[in-house]
Amino acid sequence: MNNTIDLNVYACSSIGLILPMISEYTWSIGARAFLYCLAMVWCFLGVAIISDTFMCGIERITSKTRVIKIPDSEDKDKVKEIEVKVWNDTVANLSLLAFGTSAPEILLSVIEITGKSFKSGELGPGTIVGSAAFNLLVITAVCIVSIPKGEVRRIKNIKVFAITSFSSMFAYIWLLIVLLLVTPEVVDLWEAIITFLFFPALIITAYATDKGCCCKSNRTASEVEIGLDLSGQQQDGTADIIEVARECGRGDRKVSLDAAAQIAAARIAERQTRTSAWYRVNATRVITGGHKLTPPVNKAIKDLYDNVVYENGNAGIRKSSLDISESGKKAVIEFTAASCAVLENEGHVRLGVRRSGNVECSVTVGVETIDGSAEAGSDYKPIKQKLTFGPKECLKDVYVEIVDDDVWEPDEFFFVKLFLEPEQVKGDEVVLGKVSINQVTIVNDDEPGKFEFSKPSFIVKEGCGQAQLVVKRVNGADGEVAVTWKTKDLSAKSGQEYQGGEDKIRFKHGETSKVIALDIYGIKDSHEPNFQVDLSSPTGGAEVGKISRTIVTIINDEEFSAMVSRIQEKTQHNLDGLKIDTATWRDQFHDAMNVNGGDVENANTMAYVMHFCTFFWKVLFAFVPPPSVGGGWLTFLVSLAMIGLLTAIISDLASIFGCLIGLSPTITAITFVALGTSMPDTFASRQAAMMERFADSSIGNINGSNSVNVFLGLGFPWLIATIYWQVQGKPFAVPKGSLVFSVILYTICSIVAIAVLLLRRNLSFMGKAELGGPKTGKIASAIFVFLMWVIYIVLSSLQAQKIIHVI
């Protein structure tokens, strides 16, 4: 009798392709399960980090641009340089970017089928269906409730969304047709080829729809790939820097140039267009304590950053000083402007009220009107009402009705005042800001009006480029009229220090303000030169008002210009550090070996913990060639190989872990593996939902990614397997097992989920948008969609464990 014990034969020892690498014969089942689960989570973090690098390479490839020259619409003799993307955005999203987000699932399916001697497995297909369910149901639910109160996000390119939604549902219906109807439990070569070819067909169809080939086009400039004016981008950034310099240079501000550069970089980065790859990479780096792609703003200057407000590129009304909110402890309520004007025939005036400081709680203030020269009842309808700001709500509107009559009257005004109840004044929750009263001027529109300058003198700095002189039309705005302006040299000389001249300003009916723009060349001598501008010869029955002339003085601003230059240099350095790709291996190792990529000042405890846990992966993957080498393609290929290797290890870890705890490969795939591969997408989509104006970057790409999972994740391994078995003269068997039931469940859930999104888009009580809207509606729809995922997991698991038997 042979009593020899083979130490290499024990529970779940023969399941993996690579693992176990050592004998685990003496280990307990519980200890092995715990270690395999821990290793699987750790490897998921590794996949997320190398996928970060992979996405950086893809972003470098798809963001490639070329500069073309087109005729200048303003000057026919000149041309304008336009930067145009080489890759169409729709093609990029459905090809490389979708492949980048789905690479682990796709490679898992390929590795499993090749590792099992080209026989079908359960882990790869299960992960693809499980990830699709998680992406569509869970991520959509998260995005719906993540939108701040009072805000909504709609899908902008609804035609492409419709194509990808149909494609996603069709992909899984096609699986059912192949596995149940045409050739039950067998995949023929022609079926594998068609499944794979659906991928390029999807891209071509979506591209044609995006370009307006299939239906009437209503594309915007960005959709037809008209590039951005390079000089315009630079001017916008320079304007931000100048306004930050002005704000930080105020006498009551003591802000260093470094702090000012941080604020300017943050403000510029806020308005930059971000791709799905950007959100995916940034989410991974937030999770793993890596180099974030959002500008670091020191906590000490964060309140100042929040207080810098811009309106149409110019500095707006500043928020209340920091001492009013007591470092953010109190809510500060004030009007967005100290005054406004409205035409009598407009019917109402809208006044903006904003909240700064503490925005976490719900606060209420009173609003009432007070007579000036305008009288309540005859000139406007008085109001006295409550205005409530919910948590996170920072802007509200107040409307006052204006009475329109046919009697000519001079321009009149009244006041709208914010007030607190006596018990609120004694409390610590809310205070009124400096702009608590707004003067509203009612402009009479029954007469042509009078022309006058907004003030008798203007002071401009020599570096401003232009003097903007405001001409107002008061006491009427009826009809089209004009007035002549003419400059007169005083100590300033036209053609040397400014460009003078004579011209007419034309006002259309209802217009009450125009600007005379005069070029400023600078100061030739040490004095402060000035010149005069006069108004004369009004037309259409209009008259010249009291301020018919103004004096413009040009002052020196060398110190300011030098400060702007220094801030601009530091700001550019900060922005260079936010690029999605790194330029050198040195940068990659620096970011890998330092928490938050070196931004230690803004690192919290969790960032340090995650940096420690992922340090090995960060340093290992820092050896991957940076995207700047080879245009991103070398990064793409090396990262893909790394993802393939890690995915093979995860496949073994998941299979053995499921075996140890008694779960079928299908349950392991649709739960643990699907969650592990989709978690970075969850954080990325949530951030995109909150930061973007539209829902395309958050949920618009989910269906496209799910389609790619089937067409590539199953089509490609099926193709190579059917070719292999065709050569052998045998069919490629794909047992339906629990996969078919899981696919049926997902297909039903996906149809319902997309129907919910379409209903939300068209129902008023849901906000007429896919994401956000009224609190009750968004919570209810999010819970409903999430519960569908729970039902999908429960029923699929019961089927896989043979507790129920539906198919």
Side-chain angles (χ1 to χ4, degrees):
M1 183 175 180
N2 187 3
N3 293 323
T4 303
I5 297 175
D6 189 349
L7 296 181
N8 293 315
V9 178
Y10 47 91
C12 307
S13 62
S14 59
I15 293 178
L17 301 176
I18 302 174
L19 301 177
M21 300 185 72
I22 60 174
S23 175
E24 300 169 4
Y25 182 86
T26 59
W27 300 9
S28 69
I29 297 293
R32 291 177 64 200
F34 173 76
L35 291 175
Y36 272 94
C37 180
L38 194 64
M40 185 166 58
V41 173
W42 189 59
C43 285
F44 279 138
L45 291 174
V47 167
I49 292 172
I50 188 59
S51 295
D52 170 350
T53 305
F54 186 54
M55 292 297 288
C56 287
I58 292 174
E59 176 70 11
R60 183 63 174 246
I61 295 168
T62 58
S63 63
K64 185 178 180 181
T65 60
R66 59 191 177 94
V67 176
I68 63 173
K69 294 182 179 180
I70 63 172
D72 193 331
S73 58
E74 298 178 356
D75 189 341
K76 295 182 179 179
D77 296 329
K78 294 182 179 180
V79 294
K80 189 161 58 173
E81 288 190 341
I82 300 293
E83 188 177 18
V84 182
K85 280 189 174 182
V86 174
W87 283 72
N88 172 269
D89 286 339
T90 299
V91 173
N93 283 335
L94 289 177
S95 55
L96 290 181
L97 290 176
F99 178 61
T101 58
S102 304
E105 295 96 320
I106 295 171
L107 290 177
L108 179 62
S109 183
V110 174
I111 290 170
E112 182 186 38
I113 209 165
T114 53
K116 290 182 176 292
S117 302
F118 299 99
K119 294 180 181 179
S120 178
E122 293 183 59
L123 193 66
T127 299
I128 287 175
V129 181
S131 294
F134 186 90
N135 291 344
L136 181 59
L137 304 177
V138 177
I139 292 181
T140 298
V142 169
C143 290
I144 289 174
V145 296
S146 296
I147 307 302
K149 183 178 179 181
E151 297 182 20
V152 296
R153 303 287 188 273
R154 286 171 62 88
I155 291 176
K156 181 181 180 182
N157 200 336
I158 191 65
K159 294 177 184 177
V160 172
F161 178 75
I163 292 292
T164 55
S165 297
F166 172 79
S167 172
S168 176
M169 290 185 287
F170 172 77
Y172 290 92
I173 293 173
W174 171 252
L175 289 185
L176 297 176
I177 293 173
V178 170
L179 297 178
L180 288 180
L181 301 179
V182 182
T183 53
E185 298 192 285
V186 172
V187 175
D188 289 338
L189 180 60
W190 69 269
E191 292 172 321
I193 293 174
I194 290 178
T195 304
F196 182 74
L197 289 180
F198 278 139
F199 174 60
L202 168 63
I203 295 174
I204 293 170
T205 304
Y207 175 75
T209 303
D210 182 49
K211 303 298 286 185
C213 298
C214 302
C215 51
K216 185 177 178 180
S217 174
N218 60 349
R219 293 167 288 158
T220 63
S222 63
E223 292 169 318
V224 294
E225 298 176 290
I226 294 180
L228 300 174
D229 187 337
L230 297 177
S231 62
Q233 289 181 330
Q234 294 170 353
Q235 290 170 1
D236 289 343
T238 302
D240 280 324
I241 293 169
I242 290 173
E243 295 306 332
V244 168
R246 287 173 179 164
E247 177 72 13
C248 297
R250 288 172 52 202
D252 60 338
R253 308 283 193 194
K254 293 183 179 180
V255 180
S256 67
L257 293 181
D258 288 334
Q262 285 184 19
I263 296 172
R267 184 60 64 178
I268 293 170
E270 260 186 6
R271 290 200 297 274
Q272 290 180 338
T273 303
R274 299 182 175 96
T275 63
S276 301
W278 186 94
Y279 286 107
R280 170 66 186 253
V281 171
N282 192 56
T284 300
R285 295 184 184 183
V286 169
I287 296 172
T288 59
H291 179 200
K292 299 179 181 64
L293 299 178
T294 51
V297 178
N298 188 289
K299 294 177 182 178
I301 62 171
K302 186 177 186 301
D303 287 332
L304 175 58
Y305 162 69
D306 292 336
N307 284 346
V308 179
V309 181
Y310 297 92
E311 296 175 359
N312 300 323
N314 297 316
I317 303 299
R318 295 182 181 94
K319 294 184 181 180
S320 302
S321 301
L322 302 182
D323 58 341
I324 295 180
S325 67
E326 296 183 4
S327 300
K329 294 180 181 178
K330 293 184 177 182
V332 180
I333 310 295
E334 62 184 340
F335 287 108
T336 56
S339 63
C340 66
V342 60
L343 286 176
E344 189 179 69
N345 65 357
E346 287 189 8
H348 69 271
V349 60
R350 180 178 65 86
L351 308 175
V353 182
R354 68 180 167 212
R355 171 168 67 165
S356 59
N358 183 2
V359 298
E360 301 298 328
C361 60
S362 178
V363 296
T364 300
V365 296
V367 185
E368 64 178 347
T369 52
I370 302 173
D371 282 356
S373 59
E375 297 181 354
S378 60
D379 296 311
Y380 69 94
K381 296 294 180 66
I383 63 168
K384 186 171 184 178
Q385 61 189 44
K386 299 292 185 182
L387 196 64
T388 300
F389 287 81
K392 302 289 186 183
E393 195 171 13
C394 298
L395 189 65
K396 300 282 280 187
D397 290 328
V398 175
Y399 291 88
V400 180
E401 185 178 346
I402 304 299
V403 177
D404 187 17
D405 56 40
D406 297 327
V407 180
W408 181 87
E409 297 172 300
D411 293 349
E412 299 174 308
F413 63 90
F414 65 94
F415 302 97
V416 183
K417 177 186 176 183
L418 298 174
F419 67 90
L420 300 175
E421 298 294 346
E423 60 271 17
Q424 290 179 300
V425 176
K426 298 178 182 179
D428 296 328
E429 291 186 354
V430 59
V431 293
L432 296 181
K434 293 181 179 179
V435 191
S436 60
I437 297 178
N438 190 305
Q439 178 178 317
V440 180
T441 301
I442 304 174
V443 179
N444 181 68
D445 57 350
D446 300 318
E447 292 289 331
K450 295 181 179 180
F451 299 114
E452 60 183 35
F453 286 106
S454 59
K455 51 187 179 180
S457 64
F458 291 84
I459 297 176
V460 298
K461 293 183 177 181
E462 61 173 335
C464 69
Q466 277 191 337
Q468 304 281 331
L469 313 181
V470 179
V471 178
K472 299 191 300 181
R473 182 186 186 182
V474 299
N475 295 342
D478 184 50
E480 294 190 8
V481 293
V483 65
T484 300
W485 61 266
K486 184 178 181 180
T487 61
K488 179 182 178 181
D489 288 353
L490 296 177
S491 58
K493 303 301 179 184
S494 177
Q496 296 183 14
E497 290 153 319
Y498 79 103
Q499 184 58 56
E502 179 179 356
D503 201 355
K504 284 187 177 182
I505 307 178
R506 302 186 184 279
F507 289 74
K508 294 182 180 180
H509 175 73
E511 287 186 329
T512 58
S513 179
K514 288 283 189 177
V515 173
I516 301 173
L518 299 175
D519 291 339
I520 303 298
Y521 299 142
I523 300 175
K524 302 301 180 183
D525 300 317
S526 59
H527 68 292
E528 293 184 348
N530 55 22
F531 61 93
Q532 180 176 305
V533 184
D534 296 298
L535 298 177
S536 63
S537 307
T539 65
E543 300 176 4
V544 174
K546 293 181 180 179
I547 310 176
S548 62
R549 66 184 58 179
T550 188
I551 304 297
V552 182
T553 303
I554 307 172
I555 63 173
N556 185 287
D557 63 346
E558 289 182 1
E559 182 179 348
F560 180 77
S561 298
M563 182 174 68
V564 169
S565 297
R566 292 196 295 272
I567 294 177
Q568 188 169 21
E569 182 179 347
K570 292 178 177 290
T571 299
Q572 188 58 49
H573 176 73
N574 289 340
L575 291 174
D576 288 342
L578 300 177
K579 290 181 179 178
I580 194 171
D581 54 348
T582 49
T584 64
W585 265 291
R586 180 182 179 278
D587 294 333
Q588 291 189 167
F589 278 102
H590 174 271
D591 292 346
M593 301 185 74
N594 292 277
V595 64
N596 274 5
D599 181 25
V600 179
E601 190 174 3
N602 293 300
N604 54 26
T605 303
M606 182 56 67
Y608 277 101
V609 171
M610 296 308 299
H611 178 68
F612 173 79
C613 293
T614 59
F615 184 79
F616 170 79
W617 297 122
K618 290 179 179 180
V619 174
L620 175 64
F621 298 139
F623 286 95
V624 175
S628 58
V629 178
W633 285 106
L634 197 56
T635 307
F636 176 87
L637 296 173
V638 175
S639 298
L640 186 62
M642 293 278 194
I643 293 173
L645 178 61
L646 259 181
T647 303
I649 297 174
I650 288 176
S651 175
D652 283 2
L653 290 170
S655 299
I656 297 173
F657 171 72
C659 174
L660 290 171
I661 63 175
L663 292 180
S664 71
T666 297
I667 299 178
T668 306
I670 65 174
T671 53
F672 295 101
V673 183
L675 265 66
T677 56
S678 299
M679 198 53 64
D681 291 320
T682 307
F683 287 95
S685 294
R686 181 178 181 274
Q687 187 180 28
M690 293 189 295
M691 295 180 64
E692 291 289 315
R693 293 174 54 204
F694 300 100
D696 299 69
S697 295
S698 52
I699 64 169
N701 295 326
I702 289 176
N703 289 314
S705 180
N706 288 348
S707 303
V708 172
N709 278 354
V710 173
F711 300 148
L712 280 185
L714 291 181
F716 182 64
W718 280 3
L719 182 61
I720 57 179
T722 52
I723 292 174
Y724 173 83
W725 289 111
Q726 188 85 4
V727 173
Q728 302 292 323
K730 298 178 181 179
F732 173 46
V734 182
K736 63 181 182 180
S738 56
L739 174 64
V740 168
F741 180 68
S742 182
V743 171
I744 292 174
L745 273 180
Y746 168 72
T747 304
I748 295 172
C749 291
S750 67
I751 293 172
V752 175
I754 292 172
V756 169
L757 292 177
L758 292 177
L759 285 173
R760 286 184 52 84
R761 185 180 179 89
N762 292 281
L763 294 178
S764 299
F765 68 89
M766 290 288 186
K768 283 195 172 184
E770 288 82 0
L771 306 181
K775 184 177 181 180
T776 302
K778 72 178 181 182
I779 291 178
S781 53
I783 291 175
F784 176 76
V785 174
F786 179 78
L787 285 177
M788 283 198 295
W789 178 75
V790 175
I791 293 171
Y792 162 80
I793 292 294
V794 171
L795 293 181
S796 295
S797 299
L798 292 175
Q799 172 78 9
Q801 292 294 95
K802 296 182 173 52
I803 297 176
I804 62 174
H805 184 75
V806 180
I807 295 180

